[in-house]
Structures are given as C-alpha cells and as structure tokens.
Amino acid sequence: MSQFALLRQHPELIYFDSAATCQVPDVVLQAYTDYYQQHHANVHRASHQLGRAATTALETARAKLAEFIGASAEQIALVASTTAALNGLAEQLPVQWQAGDEILLSSAEHHANILPWQRLAKQHELTLRYIPIDSETGELGEWRELLTPRTRVVSVTAASNITGTVFHLQPLLQAAKAQGTWTLVDAAQAAAHVPIEVHQLECDALVFSMHKLYSVNGCAVLYIRDALRDAMAPFLVGGGIVQRVSATDAELIDGIHKFEAGSPNTAAAVAAATAVDWLQQQHLQRQLVNLRQQLLEQLQQRAWLTVLPSGAQATPTISFYSDEFQAFDIAAWLDQHHIAVRAGHHCAQLLLQQWQLPAVVRISLGAYNTADQINRFLETLDAGWALFGSD
Ligand SMILES: Cc1ncc(COP(=O)(O)O)c(C=O)c1O
C-alpha cells in the first residue's frame, strides 16, 4: 500500500476492484511525469533531438512490452484500449465475408468482444455462435460442434471478468487454426495473472489493456502474428503511416507501425513498460493465490450466498450472489464502510443471462490487498447480512 499514492491518501479504503482497473504505483506515475518533463515531443517524424528521444522512449517501451509476452517488437501495436483493438480487428480482419459465415465467441465475453462482432454480423448477415460456460465448473463448455467449416473467426477471452476462470483455450485455438480460422484472444483479465507466451498459444492476435496491469489508461498491447499483420489493413488511416499521398490515393507503410496512425500516447507506453518491470519484481502470484483462497473458503462457509464457479485455474476475482441480500445493496453497504467492490453484470451480460442471474457482487484483488482487509470485508458483509439480509 505504501507504494500507491491514492491508497496513502485514503488509508481507510479497501480497494477490491482491480479487475476493473488497478491502482497505479508511484514508480509508474513517476515514469509518466518524467516522460513529460524530460523527453516529450512527437515521435518518428522529428528532425530534432527531443523528437528522437521521444521516439526512442516509445520504441524501448514497445520492445519491453513485446518481451513480456514472448513476441518481437515488430508484432506489437500500441493502441488506446482493448475495446479499440477488438473494434479494429472486427472491422479489418482480411476475410471475404459471405452471408452465413460464422464467428465463434464464448458466453463469458466482455461486451468489448461481442458488440463489434454483432455490428459486423448485421452488415454481412453472419451468424454468431457462443460457447456456453459450464454452470457447475465455470469452464468452457462443449465447442466442437460449434466450430464448423463456416467459422471464419474465433475470438475468446482468456479469463472471465466475472468468475475469474482462466480458460484452457489451446485445444480450441489449435482446432480453429488447423482449419484456417483466424484466432483472437482477449487477454484483458488474464495478462496480469497468467504468464503469456504468444508463440505457444495458437492465436493470430491477442490484446490486453495496461490499466489492468498497474499502469495508466491509454495504452493497450495488441500482438499480431506476422501473417495477419501483413494481410490486415490499418484500423485508422492518417498521418504517420504513409509513404506517398496523391490527390486520390495513398501508399501506406508496411509493418506494425501502420496500426498507429496519428500521434501515439507515448507517455502511456512508457508508463506501461515501467508497470511491467514493476510487476515482474513484485512476485505477486503467491500472495494473490493465498488471498483468493482465504476469501473463497470464507465465502463458501456462508450459506446465505452462492459463489460462482471458477474452474481449475483462476485469477484473483470472485463473484457471488444471494437471493436474500441483493447485489447492489451489498455493494452500497460495503461502500458505506469504504470497501470498493462491484455489483451488476460487469459488462458480460450473456454469462449472467445464461445462468439466469440479474446481478452479482464481484471482488477482485490486487497487489495492495491483505489478509486483514479480507477479514474486515467479511465482518462488514456479515454485519450487513445481520441487518438487512435475513428479513
Ligand atoms: C475481459 C475484458 N475484455 C475487455 C475489456 C475492455 O477493456 P478496456 O475497457 O480497457 O477497453 C475488459 C474490461 O473490463 C475486460 O475485462
């Protein structure tokens, strides 16, 4: 907690909403402001020293972020967010769409990985199929019959933002690749908790937002495998990606930079690379696994609530509901006691619809959480239940 300015200013706060966004450690904020104070200029086209320093800062950050997931810098586009990347991919995937072509998603997708495909499906009369999520285990359900010769794209989340389940995607991605289907992975929830080696995953693209990895908003890492990168048109067109422009046409550059038209958010990229360094020094995994286990065991002892299943491997995110104490009332009660949790559908309405749940309470843990905080949360939860729950 001592490393986080916001938490130092609010010592009473228990922040259990890291799956939505993480608090930012001082070292990352420092890197962000240092960039503006010492190196800020626009990149790539500069004919002055400061511009060259900013370009170096951006490209050094890209190399670091690439290394984090086992990719090369030429495979990493830095974009604004996971949402922006998924919209761009849906619009620009090199597919000659024909009515009746299929896109395979899962019911655990965040809306960011549903709505762009729905829009595309309406434009081209495509069929969206959803792999169900097993309500007993929280794992990916049966998908073999849903992957058909018409499936042009599989786009799936690596971890649920509601249950925390880390999905075992490899067999699905392998089967899809084997039939020439484009495979995309939304790693927004997984990247902070699961080591990612893109070359071991059979994916053509993978994306995650750095604000869920203890960095600032405005930078997401979009890995694109070489064949897709070379075949796909830019998401945005404009300055910085042209070789030559005539009155009616433009010749664009090749390579990963074609996905970064316009002035990039260099400060956010620098902060993101610092966050990766910081995260790698923290060795948080054991701490978060233990805290999650403590929380899970305690919640499971409370007969008045039901914890959603989270599979064989999970991020430190746990959701629950109660038939007697409504999710929004629980969150409001906890908020009165300075405990920040989320209630609702968490931008993944399909999963809750599939399980016929209107809303759940989500607790998502991060670097700054402690066993004491979990105990305080449980005491507060029980006090709320005693007051409001049982009548
Ligand atoms: C699984 C998943 N995908 C996508 C997103 C969207 O990320 P962003 O808001 O950074 O674009 C989120 C954010 O909560 C998420 O949890």
Side-chain angles (χ1 to χ4, degrees), residues 130-160:
Y130 294 93
I131 303 169
I133 302 300
D134 189 308
S135 60
E136 295 290 314
T137 63
E139 301 278 9
L140 218 51
E142 192 43 60
W143 51 265
R144 279 177 206 281
E145 298 207 337
L146 297 169
L147 179 70
T148 78
R150 296 300 304 265
T151 311
R152 298 280 171 263
V153 181
V154 170
S155 186
V156 280
T157 188
S160 164

Side-chain angles (χ1 to χ4, degrees), residues 90 93 97 100-106 113-114 116-118 120-121 126-131 146 148 150-155 181 184:
L93 270 185
W97 295 108
D101 281 348
E102 296 170 11
I103 296 168
L104 183 58
L105 313 171
S106 87
N113 197 27
I114 299 175
W117 305 110
Q118 288 182 339
L120 191 73
L126 312 176
T127 302
L128 299 182
R129 296 193 185 277
Y130 294 93
I131 303 169
L146 297 169
T148 78
R150 296 300 304 265
T151 311
R152 298 280 171 263
V153 181
V154 170
S155 186
T181 299
L184 316 179

Side-chain angles (χ1 to χ4, degrees), residues 302 333 374-384:
R302 285 155 174 80
W333 169 253
I374 289 182
N375 289 334
R376 227 177 87 198
F377 157 75
L378 291 164
E379 280 163 22
T380 312
L381 186 68
D382 289 343

Side-chain angles (χ1 to χ4, degrees), residues 5 8 65 85 116 131 139 204 227 236 269 286 389:
R8 285 198 301 277
L65 294 164
I131 303 169
E139 301 278 9
D204 294 302
L236 298 173
R286 181 178 296 265

Side-chain angles (χ1 to χ4, degrees), residues 19-20 80-84 86 108-110 112-113 157 159-161 186-189 209 211-212 346-347 362:
S81 64
T82 301
T83 304
L86 291 167
E109 300 314 315
H110 188 279
N113 197 27
T157 188
S160 164
N161 71 323
D186 173 355
Q189 288 297 324
S209 296
H211 69 91
K212 294 183 199 285
H346 310 282
C347 294
R362 180 180 76 182

Side-chain angles (χ1 to χ4, degrees), residues 14-168:
I14 296 180
Y15 186 74
F16 278 169
D17 199 15
S18 294
T21 196
C22 287
Q23 297 302 333
V24 184
D26 297 338
V27 64
V28 174
L29 292 176
Q30 191 64 50
Y32 186 84
T33 42
D34 279 356
Y35 165 77
Y36 275 117
Q37 287 174 357
Q38 293 171 30
H39 309 296
H40 178 53
N42 218 336
V43 297
H44 292 316
R45 295 167 294 281
S47 31
H48 51 75
Q49 288 180 28
L50 203 55
R52 286 193 286 277
T55 303
T56 302
L58 179 66
E59 296 309 324
T60 307
R62 186 194 311 278
K64 174 90 225 171
L65 294 164
E67 190 193 320
F68 179 57
I69 55 169
S72 75
E74 258 301 298
Q75 297 172 319
I76 297 295
L78 300 177
V79 295
S81 64
T82 301
T83 304
L86 291 167
N87 273 273
L89 288 164
E91 277 168 28
Q92 297 302 340
L93 270 185
V95 178
Q96 296 286 337
W97 295 108
Q98 299 193 353
D101 281 348
E102 296 170 11
I103 296 168
L104 183 58
L105 313 171
S106 87
S107 299
E109 300 314 315
H110 188 279
H111 296 165
N113 197 27
I114 299 175
L115 273 63
W117 305 110
Q118 288 182 339
R119 184 158 67 180
L120 191 73
K122 282 180 193 147
Q123 279 163 8
H124 298 283
E125 296 177 54
L126 312 176
T127 302
L128 299 182
R129 296 193 185 277
Y130 294 93
I131 303 169
I133 302 300
D134 189 308
S135 60
E136 295 290 314
T137 63
E139 301 278 9
L140 218 51
E142 192 43 60
W143 51 265
R144 279 177 206 281
E145 298 207 337
L146 297 169
L147 179 70
T148 78
R150 296 300 304 265
T151 311
R152 298 280 171 263
V153 181
V154 170
S155 186
V156 280
T157 188
S160 164
N161 71 323
I162 294 190
T163 64
T165 310
V166 175
F167 296 113
H168 183 47

Side-chain angles (χ1 to χ4, degrees), residues 60-372:
T60 307
R62 186 194 311 278
K64 174 90 225 171
L65 294 164
E67 190 193 320
F68 179 57
I69 55 169
S72 75
E74 258 301 298
Q75 297 172 319
I76 297 295
L78 300 177
V79 295
S81 64
T82 301
T83 304
L86 291 167
N87 273 273
L89 288 164
E91 277 168 28
Q92 297 302 340
L93 270 185
V95 178
Q96 296 286 337
W97 295 108
Q98 299 193 353
D101 281 348
E102 296 170 11
I103 296 168
L104 183 58
L105 313 171
S106 87
S107 299
E109 300 314 315
H110 188 279
H111 296 165
N113 197 27
I114 299 175
L115 273 63
W117 305 110
Q118 288 182 339
R119 184 158 67 180
L120 191 73
K122 282 180 193 147
Q123 279 163 8
H124 298 283
E125 296 177 54
L126 312 176
T127 302
L128 299 182
R129 296 193 185 277
Y130 294 93
I131 303 169
I133 302 300
D134 189 308
S135 60
E136 295 290 314
T137 63
E139 301 278 9
L140 218 51
E142 192 43 60
W143 51 265
R144 279 177 206 281
E145 298 207 337
L146 297 169
L147 179 70
T148 78
R150 296 300 304 265
T151 311
R152 298 280 171 263
V153 181
V154 170
S155 186
V156 280
T157 188
S160 164
N161 71 323
I162 294 190
T163 64
T165 310
V166 175
F167 296 113
H168 183 47
L169 294 179
Q170 191 69 342
L172 166 65
L173 299 176
Q174 245 162 14
K177 276 259 61 75
Q179 64 171 47
T181 299
W182 293 114
T183 55
L184 316 179
V185 174
D186 173 355
Q189 288 297 324
H193 305 291
V194 182
I196 295 174
E197 273 293 329
V198 280
H199 294 299
Q200 286 171 13
L201 266 182
E202 292 281 334
C203 64
D204 294 302
L206 176 143
V207 62
F208 54 94
S209 296
M210 288 303 301
H211 69 91
K212 294 183 199 285
L213 274 91
Y214 304 94
S215 193
V216 298
N217 282 349
C219 178
V221 175
L222 170 59
Y223 158 80
I224 314 178
R225 193 182 264 212
D226 299 0
L228 178 58
R229 177 198 60 207
D230 296 343
M232 188 161 57
F235 304 162
L236 298 173
V237 287
I241 66 162
V242 283
Q243 302 266 32
R244 195 146 17 116
V245 178
S246 70
T248 52
D249 210 353
E251 198 183 315
L252 303 184
I253 59 170
D254 291 324
I256 201 72
H257 290 96
K258 73 182 176 187
F259 296 103
E260 296 177 7
S263 302
N265 192 339
T266 305
V270 168
T274 309
V276 161
D277 273 337
W278 177 85
L279 189 61
Q280 287 173 332
Q281 287 157 14
Q282 300 304 303
H283 305 294
L284 293 177
Q285 194 166 5
R286 181 178 296 265
Q287 174 193 334
L288 291 175
V289 165
N290 289 344
L291 288 178
R292 177 182 178 279
Q293 194 57 27
Q294 178 196 354
L295 178 61
L296 184 63
E297 282 168 14
Q298 288 292 326
L299 287 173
Q300 282 169 341
Q301 284 171 22
R302 285 155 174 80
W304 57 272
L305 58 80
T306 306
V307 179
L308 298 187
S310 52
Q313 190 192 354
T315 65
T317 290
I318 293 179
S319 291
F320 67 88
Y321 66 94
S322 165
D323 291 333
E324 292 130 279
F325 193 5
Q326 297 308 309
F328 288 103
D329 295 339
I330 295 176
W333 169 253
L334 292 169
D335 188 38
Q336 280 174 33
H337 295 81
H338 311 293
I339 301 172
V341 304
R342 281 247 164 162
H345 54 62
H346 310 282
C347 294
Q349 284 189 23
L350 290 189
L351 183 65
L352 293 192
Q353 281 167 18
Q354 190 200 319
W355 290 353
Q356 297 180 330
L357 296 169
V360 294
V361 178
R362 180 180 76 182
I363 296 156
S364 50
L365 305 171
Y368 20 71
N369 296 134
T370 63
D372 277 355

